[in-house]
Amino acid sequence: MTPADTDTATRTGSALELRAVRKVYEVGDDEVVALDHADLTVAGDEIVALVGPSGSGKTTLCSIAGGLLSATDGTVVVDGQDITGYSGRQLTDFRRSSVGFVFQSVNLVPFLTARENLLVVDEVGPRKGKVARERADQLLEELGLADRADNLPGQLSGGQKQRVAIGRALMNEPGLVLFDEPTSALDSHLGDQVVALIRDEMKARGTAAIIVTHDDRITHYADRTVHIEDGRISA
C-alpha cells in the first residue's frame, strides 16, 4: 500500500495563508517586533524552504502557523481554518488534528519505542487501539523502519530518529507539517538523505511543508524558497 492510497483525500486550496501577520513582544518599555507584516501563502501540496539568519523570525513564523503562538495582528488560516481568534483550548485541538511538527532536537520520548513514539500522538487523537497501531506500523514501514519498530531512540541512528519524528508528525494526516532545522545535527550526506525523504513523503501524500533552515544547500529539494530577515519576508 502506498502513502497516496492511505490519504483520506487529496487536499486542494492553500495549506497556509498569513496575511499582514505581526508578532510583537513587550520588553520593559520597549517593543520588539519578531514578525513584521508577514504575507505568505503555501499551496496544499507545496514544499517551502524558509531561509534566514538566526533571529530573523523563522521560528516565530512557524510557531504562529502551527498554533503554538498567537499573532499580535493579522490573519492566520491553516488548512482552511481561520485560527486567528482561537482560544488556547481551540489551538490545542487544532494542533492535534491539523498540523505536524518535526523539531530540531527531534524530541522523541527516550523510554518509548519507535512505534510507541508514534502511538503517543493518537492517545489524544482520533485513532485508538488496533487502528492506531496499524497506522503507526504502516508509516514505519514506508519510512524504512519496520525492523526498528521495537527499538528505543537510544538504539537508533540520527537519521533513523529523524524518520521516526517524521512518522510521528504524519500520524494524524495533517494538512501542514513544519520542520525546524531538520538537518542541523546531521552531516551533509545524511542531511541530504533526510530532506529527500521529507520531500518524497510529503509529495506522496499531497501534504504541504515548511522547512526552516539556514542552509542554502538543501533548498533545491523545495518547490520554492522564501527568505526572511528582521521579521520581513521576501521571495
Side-chain angles (χ1 to χ4, degrees):
M1 184 176 289
T2 66
D5 292 330
T6 62
D7 259 350
T8 54
T10 299
R11 292 179 173 87
T12 59
S14 298
L16 173 66
E17 294 180 46
L18 302 181
R19 306 176 198 139
V21 170
R22 297 179 75 239
K23 183 63 180 178
V24 179
Y25 295 98
E26 302 287 339
V27 181
D29 295 329
D30 298 322
E31 286 189 344
V32 176
V33 179
L35 210 56
D36 191 3
H37 292 94
D39 291 303
L40 178 64
T41 298
V42 179
D45 62 350
E46 186 178 23
I47 298 174
V48 171
L50 183 63
V51 178
S54 178
S56 60
K58 303 188 301 293
T59 299
T60 299
L61 186 151
C62 281
S63 295
I64 289 173
L68 294 171
L69 290 176
S70 295
T72 305
D73 298 297
T75 302
V76 183
V77 180
V78 184
D79 203 21
Q81 299 180 66
D82 186 341
I83 67 170
T84 309
Y86 273 16
S87 66
R89 182 171 182 175
Q90 287 174 312
L91 286 174
T92 297
D93 290 339
F94 158 78
R95 290 193 298 270
R96 289 172 179 168
S97 62
S98 300
V99 67
F101 299 91
V102 179
F103 297 103
Q104 180 175 347
S105 58
V106 182
N107 287 346
L108 299 181
V109 182
F111 52 83
L112 296 181
T113 66
R115 179 188 293 111
E116 290 166 343
N117 265 282
L118 270 64
L119 289 173
V120 74
V121 174
D122 271 357
E123 287 186 5
V124 291
R127 297 181 182 85
K128 305 296 179 186
K130 181 181 177 182
V131 176
R133 186 183 176 91
E134 287 176 349
R135 171 68 173 165
D137 285 344
Q138 171 201 325
L139 282 169
L140 290 172
E141 182 176 357
E142 291 168 2
L143 291 164
L145 293 169
D147 61 340
R148 298 289 185 176
D150 295 320
N151 287 126
L152 296 171
Q155 299 170 310
L156 301 175
S157 68
Q160 289 169 336
K161 291 176 185 176
Q162 280 287 3
R163 282 185 275 167
V164 173
I166 293 167
R168 183 178 59 185
L170 292 169
M171 269 296 284
N172 286 338
E173 300 178 48
L176 176 67
V177 181
L178 304 167
F179 296 87
D180 185 10
E181 301 280 6
T183 64
S184 62
L186 306 175
D187 62 39
S188 58
H189 177 67
L190 190 52
D192 276 346
Q193 288 184 344
V194 167
V195 180
L197 176 69
I198 289 170
R199 179 178 176 85
D200 290 346
E201 291 298 322
M202 297 301 106
K203 289 300 182 181
R205 291 171 171 78
T207 301
I210 297 177
I211 304 175
V212 171
T213 184
H214 64 275
D215 187 352
D216 284 312
R217 293 176 301 174
I218 69 171
T219 58
H220 63 281
Y221 290 101
D223 297 313
R224 177 164 55 108
T225 299
V226 172
H227 295 270
I228 184 168
E229 189 164 1
D230 296 328
R232 298 184 181 92
I233 287 178
S234 61

